[in-house]
Amino acid sequence: MTSPEAREEAVLEAVRKRREQVNDAIPDELPIQRPERLYEASRYLLDAGGKRLRPAVLLTTAEALADVEPMSRDYRSFPPVAGDAASTIDVMAAAVSVEVIQSFTLIHDDIMDDDDLRRGVPAVHKEYDLETAILAGDTLYSKAFEIMLETGAEPDRVVEALGVLARTCTEICEGQSLDVTFEEREDVSPEEYLEMVEQKTAVLYAASACLPAVLLGADDETIDALYGYGLDIGRAFQIQDDVLDLTVPSEKLGKQRGSDLVENKQTLITVHAREHGLDVEDLVDTTDVDAVTESEIDDAVAELETAGSISYANETARDLVRQGKGRLDVLPDNEACAQLCDLADYLIERGY
Amino acid sequence: MTSPEAREEAVLEAVRKRREQVNDAIPDELPIQRPERLYEASRYLLDAGGKRLRPAVLLTTAEALADVEPMSRDYRSFPPVAGDAASTIDVMAAAVSVEVIQSFTLIHDDIMDDDDLRRGVPAVHKEYDLETAILAGDTLYSKAFEIMLETGAEPDRVVEALGVLARTCTEICEGQSLDVTFEEREDVSPEEYLEMVEQKTAVLYAASACLPAVLLGADDETIDALYGYGLDIGRAFQIQDDVLDLTVPSEKLGKQRGSDLVENKQTLITVHAREHGLDVEDLVDTTDVDAVTESEIDDAVAELETAGSISYANETARDLVRQGKGRLDVLPDNEACAQLCDLADYLIERGY
C-alpha cells in the first residue's frame, strides 16, 4: 500500500510526463503555416500552457485497455484491443484532437465572457483581435476533426470516433448556451446546474475516456462505462474549478480570484447558497473584475463557507469521483487503471 | 437544340425544385430543440432564404454519377455507383451538411465584418447578440459533421467524406483570414485575390461537387475532376457576386449595394482597377454603409467600367465556367450532366 502523498506525487509525475509528450506532438499536428497570423493565433493558448488533463485521461485509458505498462509504448503506434485489425493506432493524434477542441472552446468562451486573461496571458481576442480569435477557434475546430482522422484505426471505428467528437462539440455548445441563459436567472437548481456542467465541460472528459476504447476496438459495455467515468470526473473537475476560483490566489490562478462571483456566474456554490437564503448577487458590490478588492472576495467566501456552500460543492465532487472510479471495473486490473483512479482523485485534490 | 432562354428557365426550375426539397430536409436534420434559443439562432439564416446552390450542385452531381433522370429518385435513398455496397445512400444529408457549413460561415463572417443585414434580415449577431451568434455558428459546425455521418455510405467512404468536409472548413478559415489581411494591403494581385477566393468560397463548391462521388463510390479520377469543376465554378460564382454587389439594387440584394467598395473590401474588380491606376480607396468618400448615397455608388461604378475592371471580372468568370464545364467529361453524357453545365452558366448569368 502506497501512501496518499506518494500516490499524489506519482500521479503528478505521470501527468507531467504525458504533458511533455503531448506538448511535443502539438506542433507536429498543428504546424504554423500560411496564413501565419491565423495559425499563430490558433496555437497561442495551446502554447501558453495547460495541464493537458484530457489527453492524460485519454492516453492512460488507452494503456489500461491495451493492458500495457504506463508510458512503456509509443503513443503513435498503439496495439488495438480487438486483435482483428492489422495496423497500430495513433492514440496521440486522438489526444491532441481533444486538446485542440478544448482550446477552441476557451478562445470562443473568452470572447463571449469578454475575459481578459487566460493561463496568465491575454485572451486571444485581446492579444490579437475579435476577427482573428473567432477564426482561430474555427480553424482549431476543423483541425481537430482532421487530426482525429489520422489515427489509422479501422474505418468503422474512425466513423464512430468522429461521431463522438461531433456530438461532444454540439453538447459543449448547448451547455455554454445554457450557462449564458443561467446568468440571467436567479432560480437555477443544483440539478440544472449539474446538467449544464455535464454538457459544457464533462462531455469532453467523457469523450477523452471513451475514444481510446472506440479506436482500439473495445466492446460497447466498456465504451459506455468509460464514457460514464469521464462524465463523472468531468463534473467533479468543473465543481473543483469553481471552488478554486474562490480560494486560489489570483497570481496562481492566472486571472482574478472570485471573478465568477463578480460576474454573477452561476456555480454549484452560488446555486446552493441561494437555496439557503443568501443574497448571492450582492455578495460582491462591483461587477467589474478590475475594481474588486481581495478583502471583498474574502468576505464573500466567508459568507459562502458559513452557509455550507463550499463544503456542499466539495462533497458533491467527492461523490462524483467515487462513482466514476467505480465504473472502471470494466478495465483490466493494471497500473494504468490505478492511475485513472488517481487522476480522478487529483482532479478534486489539486490546488490549482 | 433548346434556346438559351428555355435552358435558363429550365435550370431555374430545377434549382427551385431542389431548393424546396432541401428546405424540407433542413428542419428534419436540424430540429429546434433545447436550448431553443440556440437552435432558433442556428436556424435563423437557413430559414431566411438562400438559393441552395451548393446543395443543387451536390444533388445534381449525384444524379449524373448514378446516371438517373434529374429528380426521378428519392435523394434519401440513392443507388451507389460502385455496386459493391448493399445499402442506399442519403445524399440529401450530405447536401444539408454542406448548406449548414455555408450558414455557419455566414454567421461568423457577418460578425467579423460587422455587417447588419444578410438575406434581407438582420445578421444573427444583430437579431440576437454576439454570444449567441458565435455559439450558433459553432453549433452548426458540429451539426454539419453529425449530419454528414448519417448518409449510410460505407465506412471508408464516410471517412473520406469527413476528410473532405474538415479540410474544406480549414481552407475556408484560411481564405477568410487572407481576406481580412487583404483589407489592409494595397498591392494584392489578381492571382493572390483568386487564390483567396478559391480558399474562402470555391472549396465549398468543390466539396459539393466531389462529395457525391466520394459517397457513392466513384473512382479517384472522377472525384478529382468534380472537385476541379467545383473550384472553377465556385471562383466564378464569387467574382459574379462581387459584380452583383455593384450592379444590383439594394432591395434585391438584401443589403446596401456597393458595400464592398464602401468597406474597402478587395474584389477582383478593385484589384484590377488599382493595377490600372485607379485610386480605389477614394472611389467612395465614406466608409459607413449607412451614409453612402446611390449616386456616389453610380459614379464609382462608372469609373470602374471606364477602367475595364467590370468587363475583366466578367471575362475571368466566363473563362472559369468554360474550364469547369470542360472537366465534366468524366461523367456519363446524361441530362443531369447537362444541368451541371447549365448551373455553371447560371452562376455567372444570374441577376442576383
Side-chain angles (χ1 to χ4, degrees), chain A residues 271-349:
Chain A
V271 166
H272 176 275
R274 187 180 293 111
E275 284 206 333
H276 289 74
L278 249 66
D279 184 1
V280 172
E281 274 65 38
D282 291 335
L283 274 175
V284 178
D285 283 335
T286 180
T287 56
D288 176 2
V289 275
D290 296 327
V292 74
T293 65
E294 289 297 310
S295 76
E296 280 181 289
I297 303 286
D298 286 339
D299 293 346
V301 170
E303 282 199 69
L304 291 168
E305 272 172 350
T306 307
S309 304
I310 295 180
S311 312
Y312 169 74
N314 283 329
E315 276 161 34
T316 307
R318 267 198 298 274
D319 287 346
L320 283 166
V321 162
R322 193 177 305 123
Q323 180 174 292
K325 292 194 289 188
R327 299 186 197 271
L328 295 180
D329 54 15
V330 294
L331 292 175
D333 181 18
N334 54 28
E335 177 56 20
C337 180
Q339 286 195 356
L340 286 175
C341 289
D342 294 342
L343 253 173
D345 289 331
Y346 168 72
L347 290 184
I348 55 169
E349 282 159 13

Coordinates of all heavy atoms in Angstrom, one line a residue, chain A residues 271-349:
Chain A
V271 N -25.4 28.5 -6.4 CA -26.8 27.9 -6.5 C -27.2 27.3 -5.2 O -28.3 27.6 -4.7 CB -26.8 26.8 -7.6 CG1 -28.0 25.9 -7.5 CG2 -26.7 27.4 -9.0
H272 N -26.3 26.6 -4.5 CA -26.6 26.1 -3.1 C -26.8 27.3 -2.2 O -27.7 27.3 -1.4 CB -25.4 25.3 -2.7 CG -25.5 24.8 -1.2 ND1 -25.2 25.5 -0.2 CD2 -26.0 23.6 -0.8 CE1 -25.4 24.9 1.0 NE2 -25.9 23.7 0.6
A273 N -26.0 28.3 -2.3 CA -26.1 29.4 -1.3 C -27.4 30.1 -1.5 O -28.0 30.5 -0.5 CB -24.9 30.4 -1.6
R274 N -27.8 30.3 -2.7 CA -29.1 31.0 -2.9 C -30.3 30.2 -2.3 O -31.1 30.7 -1.7 CB -29.3 31.2 -4.4 CG -30.6 32.1 -4.7 CD -30.8 32.4 -6.1 NE -29.8 33.2 -6.7 CZ -28.9 32.8 -7.6 NH1 -28.9 31.5 -8.0 NH2 -28.1 33.6 -8.1
E275 N -30.2 28.8 -2.5 CA -31.2 28.0 -2.0 C -31.2 28.0 -0.5 O -32.2 27.7 0.2 CB -31.0 26.5 -2.4 CG -31.4 26.3 -3.9 CD -31.8 24.8 -4.1 OE1 -31.2 23.9 -3.4 OE2 -32.6 24.5 -5.0
H276 N -30.1 28.5 0.1 CA -30.0 28.5 1.6 C -30.1 30.0 2.0 O -29.6 30.3 3.1 CB -28.8 27.8 2.1 CG -28.9 26.3 2.0 ND1 -28.8 25.7 0.7 CD2 -29.2 25.4 2.9 CE1 -29.0 24.4 0.9 NE2 -29.3 24.2 2.2
G277 N -30.8 30.8 1.2 CA -31.1 32.1 1.7 C -30.1 33.3 1.5 O -30.4 34.4 1.9
L278 N -29.0 33.0 0.9 CA -28.0 34.1 0.7 C -28.4 34.9 -0.5 O -28.9 34.4 -1.5 CB -26.6 33.5 0.5 CG -25.6 33.7 1.6 CD1 -26.0 33.0 2.8 CD2 -24.2 33.3 1.2
D279 N -28.1 36.2 -0.4 CA -28.4 37.2 -1.5 C -27.1 37.2 -2.3 O -26.2 38.0 -2.2 CB -28.7 38.6 -0.9 CG -29.0 39.5 -2.1 OD1 -29.1 39.1 -3.2 OD2 -29.3 40.7 -1.8
V280 N -27.0 36.2 -3.2 CA -25.8 35.9 -4.0 C -25.3 37.1 -4.8 O -24.2 37.4 -4.9 CB -26.0 34.6 -4.8 CG1 -24.8 34.4 -5.7 CG2 -26.2 33.4 -3.9
E281 N -26.3 37.8 -5.5 CA -25.9 38.9 -6.4 C -25.2 40.0 -5.6 O -24.5 40.7 -6.2 CB -27.2 39.4 -7.1 CG -27.6 38.7 -8.3 CD -28.0 37.3 -8.1 OE1 -28.7 37.0 -7.0 OE2 -27.6 36.4 -8.8
D282 N -25.5 40.1 -4.3 CA -24.9 41.2 -3.6 C -23.7 40.8 -2.7 O -23.3 41.6 -1.8 CB -26.0 41.9 -2.7 CG -27.0 42.6 -3.6 OD1 -26.6 43.0 -4.7 OD2 -28.2 42.8 -3.2
L283 N -23.2 39.6 -2.9 CA -22.1 39.2 -2.1 C -20.9 40.1 -2.4 O -20.1 40.3 -1.5 CB -21.7 37.7 -2.4 CG -22.5 36.6 -1.7 CD1 -22.1 35.3 -2.2 CD2 -22.2 36.7 -0.2
V284 N -20.8 40.5 -3.6 CA -19.7 41.4 -4.0 C -20.4 42.6 -4.7 O -21.3 42.4 -5.5 CB -18.7 40.8 -5.0 CG1 -17.7 41.8 -5.5 CG2 -18.0 39.6 -4.4
D285 N -20.1 43.8 -4.3 CA -20.8 45.0 -4.8 C -20.6 45.3 -6.2 O -21.5 45.5 -7.0 CB -20.4 46.3 -4.0 CG -21.1 46.3 -2.6 OD1 -22.1 45.6 -2.5 OD2 -20.5 46.9 -1.7
T286 N -19.3 45.2 -6.7 CA -19.0 45.6 -8.0 C -19.3 44.4 -9.0 O -19.4 43.3 -8.6 CB -17.5 46.0 -8.1 OG1 -17.2 46.3 -9.5 CG2 -16.6 44.8 -7.7
T287 N -19.4 44.8 -10.3 CA -19.5 43.7 -11.3 C -18.3 43.9 -12.2 O -18.3 43.3 -13.3 CB -20.8 43.9 -12.1 OG1 -20.8 45.2 -12.7 CG2 -22.0 43.6 -11.3
D288 N -17.3 44.6 -11.8 CA -16.1 44.9 -12.6 C -14.9 44.1 -11.9 O -14.5 44.5 -10.9 CB -15.8 46.4 -12.6 CG -14.6 46.7 -13.4 OD1 -13.9 45.8 -13.9 OD2 -14.2 47.9 -13.5
V289 N -14.4 43.1 -12.6 CA -13.3 42.3 -12.0 C -12.0 43.2 -11.8 O -11.2 42.8 -10.9 CB -12.8 41.1 -12.9 CG1 -13.7 39.9 -12.7 CG2 -12.8 41.5 -14.4
D290 N -11.9 44.3 -12.5 CA -10.7 45.1 -12.3 C -10.8 45.9 -11.0 O -9.8 46.5 -10.5 CB -10.4 46.0 -13.5 CG -10.1 45.2 -14.7 OD1 -9.5 44.1 -14.6 OD2 -10.5 45.6 -15.8
A291 N -12.1 46.1 -10.5 CA -12.3 47.0 -9.4 C -12.4 46.3 -8.1 O -12.3 46.9 -7.0 CB -13.6 47.8 -9.6
V292 N -12.6 44.9 -8.1 CA -12.8 44.2 -6.8 C -11.6 44.1 -6.0 O -10.4 44.1 -6.5 CB -13.4 42.8 -7.2 CG1 -12.3 41.9 -7.7 CG2 -14.1 42.2 -6.0
T293 N -11.7 44.2 -4.6 CA -10.6 44.1 -3.7 C -10.5 42.7 -3.1 O -11.5 42.0 -3.1 CB -10.7 45.1 -2.6 OG1 -11.8 44.7 -1.8 CG2 -10.9 46.5 -3.1
E294 N -9.3 42.3 -2.7 CA -9.1 41.0 -2.1 C -10.0 40.8 -0.9 O -10.6 39.7 -0.6 CB -7.7 40.8 -1.7 CG -6.7 40.6 -2.9 CD -7.0 39.3 -3.7 OE1 -7.2 38.2 -3.1 OE2 -7.2 39.4 -4.9
S295 N -10.2 41.9 -0.1 CA -11.0 41.7 1.2 C -12.5 41.6 0.9 O -13.2 40.9 1.6 CB -10.7 42.9 2.1 OG -11.4 44.1 1.6
E296 N -12.9 42.2 -0.2 CA -14.3 41.9 -0.6 C -14.5 40.4 -0.9 O -15.5 39.8 -0.6 CB -14.7 42.7 -1.9 CG -15.0 44.2 -1.6 CD -15.4 44.9 -2.9 OE1 -14.5 45.2 -3.7 OE2 -16.6 45.2 -3.1
I297 N -13.6 39.8 -1.7 CA -13.6 38.4 -2.0 C -13.6 37.6 -0.7 O -14.4 36.6 -0.6 CB -12.5 38.0 -3.0 CG1 -12.5 38.9 -4.3 CG2 -12.6 36.5 -3.3 CD1 -13.6 38.5 -5.2
D298 N -12.6 38.0 0.2 CA -12.5 37.2 1.5 C -13.9 37.2 2.2 O -14.3 36.1 2.7 CB -11.4 37.9 2.3 CG -10.0 37.6 1.8 OD1 -9.9 36.6 1.1 OD2 -9.1 38.3 2.1
D299 N -14.5 38.4 2.3 CA -15.8 38.4 3.0 C -16.8 37.5 2.3 O -17.6 36.8 3.0 CB -16.3 39.9 3.0 CG -15.4 40.8 3.9 OD1 -14.6 40.2 4.7 OD2 -15.5 42.0 3.8
A300 N -16.9 37.6 1.0 CA -17.9 36.8 0.3 C -17.6 35.3 0.5 O -18.6 34.5 0.8 CB -17.8 37.1 -1.2
V301 N -16.4 34.9 0.5 CA -16.0 33.5 0.7 C -16.4 33.1 2.1 O -17.0 32.0 2.3 CB -14.5 33.2 0.4 CG1 -14.1 31.8 0.9 CG2 -14.2 33.4 -1.1
A302 N -16.2 33.9 3.1 CA -16.6 33.6 4.5 C -18.1 33.4 4.6 O -18.5 32.4 5.2 CB -16.1 34.7 5.4
E303 N -18.9 34.2 3.9 CA -20.3 34.0 3.9 C -20.7 32.7 3.3 O -21.6 32.0 3.8 CB -21.0 35.2 3.2 CG -21.1 36.4 4.0 CD -22.2 37.4 3.4 OE1 -23.4 37.0 3.5 OE2 -21.8 38.4 2.9
L304 N -20.1 32.4 2.2 CA -20.4 31.1 1.5 C -20.0 29.9 2.3 O -20.7 28.9 2.3 CB -19.7 31.0 0.1 CG -20.2 32.0 -0.9 CD1 -19.2 32.1 -2.1 CD2 -21.6 31.6 -1.4
E305 N -18.9 30.0 3.1 CA -18.5 29.0 4.0 C -19.5 28.8 5.1 O -19.8 27.6 5.4 CB -17.1 29.2 4.6 CG -16.0 28.7 3.6 CD -14.6 29.1 4.0 OE1 -14.4 30.0 4.9 OE2 -13.6 28.6 3.4
T306 N -19.9 29.9 5.7 CA -20.9 29.8 6.8 C -22.2 29.1 6.3 O -22.8 28.3 7.0 CB -21.2 31.2 7.3 OG1 -20.0 31.9 7.6 CG2 -22.1 31.2 8.5
A307 N -22.6 29.4 5.0 CA -23.8 28.8 4.5 C -23.6 27.3 4.2 O -24.6 26.6 3.8 CB -24.3 29.5 3.3
G308 N -22.4 26.8 4.3 CA -22.1 25.4 4.0 C -22.0 25.1 2.5 O -21.9 24.0 2.0
S309 N -21.9 26.2 1.7 CA -22.0 26.0 0.2 C -20.7 25.4 -0.4 O -20.7 24.7 -1.3 CB -22.3 27.3 -0.5 OG -23.5 27.8 0.1
I310 N -19.6 25.8 0.2 CA -18.3 25.3 -0.3 C -18.1 23.9 0.1 O -17.7 23.0 -0.7 CB -17.1 26.2 0.2 CG1 -17.3 27.6 -0.5 CG2 -15.8 25.6 -0.2 CD1 -16.2 28.6 -0.1
S311 N -18.5 23.5 1.3 CA -18.5 22.1 1.7 C -19.4 21.3 0.8 O -19.1 20.1 0.5 CB -19.0 21.9 3.2 OG -18.4 22.8 4.0
Y312 N -20.6 21.8 0.6 CA -21.5 21.1 -0.3 C -20.9 20.8 -1.7 O -21.0 19.7 -2.2 CB -22.8 21.9 -0.5 CG -23.7 21.4 -1.5 CD1 -24.5 20.2 -1.3 CD2 -23.9 22.0 -2.8 CE1 -25.3 19.7 -2.3 CE2 -24.7 21.5 -3.8 CZ -25.4 20.4 -3.5 OH -26.2 19.9 -4.5
A313 N -20.2 21.8 -2.2 CA -19.6 21.6 -3.5 C -18.5 20.5 -3.4 O -18.4 19.6 -4.3 CB -19.0 22.9 -4.0
N314 N -17.7 20.6 -2.4 CA -16.6 19.6 -2.2 C -17.2 18.2 -2.1 O -16.6 17.3 -2.6 CB -15.8 20.0 -0.9 CG -14.8 21.1 -1.2 OD1 -14.3 21.3 -2.3 ND2 -14.5 21.9 -0.2
E315 N -18.3 18.1 -1.3 CA -18.9 16.7 -1.1 C -19.4 16.2 -2.4 O -19.3 15.0 -2.7 CB -20.0 16.8 -0.1 CG -19.5 16.7 1.4 CD -20.5 17.2 2.4 OE1 -21.7 17.0 2.1 OE2 -20.1 17.8 3.4
T316 N -20.1 17.1 -3.2 CA -20.7 16.6 -4.4 C -19.6 16.1 -5.4 O -19.7 15.1 -6.0 CB -21.4 17.8 -5.1 OG1 -22.4 18.3 -4.2 CG2 -22.2 17.3 -6.3
A317 N -18.5 16.9 -5.4 CA -17.3 16.5 -6.3 C -16.8 15.1 -5.8 O -16.5 14.3 -6.7 CB -16.3 17.6 -6.3
R318 N -16.6 15.0 -4.5 CA -16.1 13.7 -4.0 C -17.0 12.5 -4.4 O -16.5 11.5 -4.7 CB -15.9 13.8 -2.5 CG -14.5 14.2 -2.0 CD -14.3 13.9 -0.6 NE -15.2 14.5 0.4 CZ -15.0 15.8 0.8 NH1 -13.9 16.5 0.5 NH2 -15.9 16.3 1.7
D319 N -18.3 12.7 -4.2 CA -19.3 11.7 -4.6 C -19.1 11.3 -6.1 O -19.2 10.1 -6.4 CB -20.7 12.1 -4.3 CG -21.0 12.1 -2.8 OD1 -20.2 11.6 -2.0 OD2 -22.1 12.7 -2.4
L320 N -19.0 12.3 -6.9 CA -18.9 12.0 -8.3 C -17.6 11.3 -8.7 O -17.6 10.3 -9.5 CB -18.9 13.4 -9.1 CG -20.3 14.0 -9.3 CD1 -20.2 15.4 -9.8 CD2 -21.2 13.2 -10.2
V321 N -16.5 11.6 -8.0 CA -15.3 10.9 -8.2 C -15.4 9.5 -7.8 O -14.9 8.6 -8.5 CB -14.1 11.7 -7.5 CG1 -12.9 10.7 -7.4 CG2 -13.7 12.9 -8.3
R322 N -16.0 9.3 -6.6 CA -16.2 7.9 -6.1 C -17.0 7.1 -7.1 O -16.6 6.0 -7.5 CB -16.9 7.9 -4.8 CG -16.9 6.6 -4.0 CD -17.5 6.7 -2.6 NE -17.0 7.8 -1.8 CZ -17.7 8.9 -1.3 NH1 -19.0 8.9 -1.5 NH2 -17.1 9.8 -0.6
Q323 N -18.1 7.7 -7.6 CA -18.9 7.0 -8.6 C -18.2 6.7 -9.9 O -18.3 5.6 -10.4 CB -20.1 7.9 -8.9 CG -21.1 7.4 -9.9 CD -22.3 8.3 -10.0 OE1 -23.1 8.4 -9.0 NE2 -22.5 9.0 -11.1
G324 N -17.4 7.7 -10.3 CA -16.6 7.5 -11.6 C -15.6 6.4 -11.5 O -15.5 5.5 -12.4
K325 N -14.9 6.3 -10.4 CA -13.9 5.3 -10.2 C -14.5 3.9 -10.2 O -14.0 2.9 -10.7 CB -13.1 5.5 -8.9 CG -12.2 6.8 -8.9 CD -11.2 6.8 -7.8 CE -11.8 7.1 -6.5 NZ -10.8 7.3 -5.4
G326 N -15.8 3.8 -9.6 CA -16.5 2.6 -9.6 C -16.8 2.0 -10.9 O -17.0 0.8 -11.1
R327 N -16.8 2.9 -11.9 CA -17.2 2.4 -13.3 C -16.0 1.7 -14.0 O -16.1 1.1 -15.0 CB -17.6 3.6 -14.2 CG -18.9 4.3 -13.6 CD -19.3 5.3 -14.7 NE -20.3 6.2 -14.1 CZ -21.6 6.1 -14.0 NH1 -22.1 5.0 -14.5 NH2 -22.4 7.0 -13.5
L328 N -14.8 1.9 -13.4 CA -13.6 1.4 -14.0 C -13.4 -0.1 -13.9 O -12.4 -0.7 -14.4 CB -12.3 2.1 -13.5 CG -12.3 3.6 -13.8 CD1 -11.0 4.2 -13.2 CD2 -12.4 3.9 -15.3
D329 N -14.3 -0.8 -13.3 CA -14.1 -2.3 -13.1 C -14.3 -3.0 -14.5 O -14.1 -4.2 -14.6 CB -15.0 -2.9 -12.0 CG -16.5 -2.5 -12.2 OD1 -16.8 -2.1 -13.3 OD2 -17.3 -2.7 -11.3
V330 N -14.7 -2.3 -15.6 CA -14.7 -2.9 -16.9 C -13.2 -3.1 -17.4 O -13.0 -3.8 -18.4 CB -15.5 -2.1 -17.9 CG1 -17.0 -2.1 -17.6 CG2 -14.9 -0.7 -18.1
L331 N -12.3 -2.4 -16.8 CA -10.9 -2.4 -17.3 C -10.1 -3.5 -16.6 O -10.5 -4.0 -15.5 CB -10.2 -1.1 -16.9 CG -10.7 0.2 -17.7 CD1 -10.0 1.4 -17.2 CD2 -10.5 0.0 -19.2
P332 N -9.1 -4.0 -17.3 CA -8.2 -4.9 -16.6 C -7.6 -4.3 -15.3 O -7.4 -3.0 -15.3 CB -7.0 -5.2 -17.6 CG -7.6 -4.6 -18.9 CD -8.6 -3.6 -18.6
D333 N -7.3 -5.1 -14.3 CA -6.8 -4.6 -13.1 C -5.3 -4.3 -13.2 O -4.5 -5.2 -13.0 CB -7.1 -5.6 -12.0 CG -6.5 -5.1 -10.6 OD1 -6.3 -3.9 -10.5 OD2 -6.4 -5.9 -9.7
N334 N -4.9 -3.2 -13.8 CA -3.5 -2.9 -14.0 C -3.1 -1.5 -13.5 O -3.9 -0.8 -13.0 CB -3.2 -3.1 -15.5 CG -4.1 -2.2 -16.4 OD1 -4.5 -1.1 -15.9 ND2 -4.3 -2.7 -17.6
E335 N -1.8 -1.2 -13.7 CA -1.3 0.1 -13.1 C -1.9 1.3 -13.8 O -2.2 2.3 -13.2 CB 0.3 0.1 -13.3 CG 0.9 1.4 -12.9 CD 0.7 1.7 -11.4 OE1 0.3 0.8 -10.6 OE2 0.9 2.9 -11.0
A336 N -2.2 1.2 -15.1 CA -2.8 2.3 -15.8 C -4.2 2.6 -15.3 O -4.6 3.7 -15.1 CB -2.9 2.1 -17.3
C337 N -4.9 1.5 -15.0 CA -6.3 1.6 -14.4 C -6.1 2.3 -13.0 O -6.9 3.2 -12.7 CB -6.9 0.3 -14.3 SG -8.6 0.4 -13.5
A338 N -5.2 1.9 -12.2 CA -4.9 2.6 -10.9 C -4.6 4.1 -11.1 O -5.1 4.9 -10.4 CB -3.8 1.9 -10.2
Q339 N -3.9 4.4 -12.2 CA -3.6 5.8 -12.5 C -4.9 6.6 -12.8 O -5.0 7.8 -12.5 CB -2.6 5.9 -13.6 CG -1.2 5.5 -13.1 CD -0.1 6.0 -14.1 OE1 -0.4 6.5 -15.2 NE2 1.2 5.8 -13.8
L340 N -5.8 5.9 -13.5 CA -7.1 6.6 -13.8 C -7.8 6.9 -12.5 O -8.5 8.0 -12.5 CB -7.9 5.7 -14.7 CG -7.5 5.6 -16.2 CD1 -8.4 4.7 -17.0 CD2 -7.5 7.0 -16.9
C341 N -7.7 6.1 -11.5 CA -8.3 6.4 -10.2 C -7.6 7.5 -9.6 O -8.2 8.5 -9.0 CB -8.3 5.1 -9.3 SG -9.4 3.8 -9.8
D342 N -6.3 7.5 -9.6 CA -5.5 8.6 -9.0 C -5.8 9.9 -9.7 O -5.9 11.0 -9.1 CB -4.0 8.3 -9.1 CG -3.6 7.1 -8.3 OD1 -4.4 6.7 -7.4 OD2 -2.6 6.5 -8.5
L343 N -5.9 9.9 -11.1 CA -6.2 11.1 -11.8 C -7.6 11.7 -11.4 O -7.7 12.9 -11.2 CB -6.3 10.7 -13.3 CG -5.2 11.1 -14.2 CD1 -5.4 10.6 -15.6 CD2 -5.1 12.7 -14.3
A344 N -8.5 10.8 -11.2 CA -9.8 11.2 -10.7 C -9.7 11.9 -9.3 O -10.3 13.0 -9.1 CB -10.8 10.0 -10.6
D345 N -9.0 11.3 -8.4 CA -8.7 11.9 -7.1 C -8.0 13.3 -7.3 O -8.4 14.2 -6.6 CB -7.9 11.0 -6.2 CG -8.6 9.8 -5.8 OD1 -9.9 9.9 -5.6 OD2 -8.0 8.7 -5.6
Y346 N -7.0 13.3 -8.2 CA -6.3 14.5 -8.4 C -7.1 15.7 -8.8 O -6.9 16.8 -8.4 CB -5.1 14.3 -9.4 CG -4.5 15.5 -9.8 CD1 -3.6 16.2 -9.0 CD2 -4.7 16.0 -11.1 CE1 -3.0 17.4 -9.4 CE2 -4.1 17.2 -11.5 CZ -3.2 17.9 -10.7 OH -2.7 19.1 -11.1
L347 N -8.1 15.4 -9.7 CA -9.0 16.4 -10.2 C -9.7 17.2 -9.1 O -9.9 18.4 -9.2 CB -10.1 15.9 -11.1 CG -9.6 15.3 -12.5 CD1 -10.8 14.9 -13.3 CD2 -8.7 16.3 -13.2
I348 N -9.9 16.6 -7.9 CA -10.6 17.3 -6.9 C -9.6 17.6 -5.7 O -10.0 18.4 -4.8 CB -11.8 16.6 -6.3 CG1 -11.5 15.2 -5.9 CG2 -12.9 16.6 -7.4 CD1 -12.6 14.5 -5.1
E349 N -8.4 17.1 -5.8 CA -7.5 17.4 -4.7 C -6.5 18.5 -5.1 O -5.8 19.0 -4.2 CB -6.8 16.1 -4.2 CG -7.7 15.3 -3.3 CD -7.3 13.8 -3.2 OE1 -6.2 13.5 -3.7 OE2 -8.1 13.0 -2.7

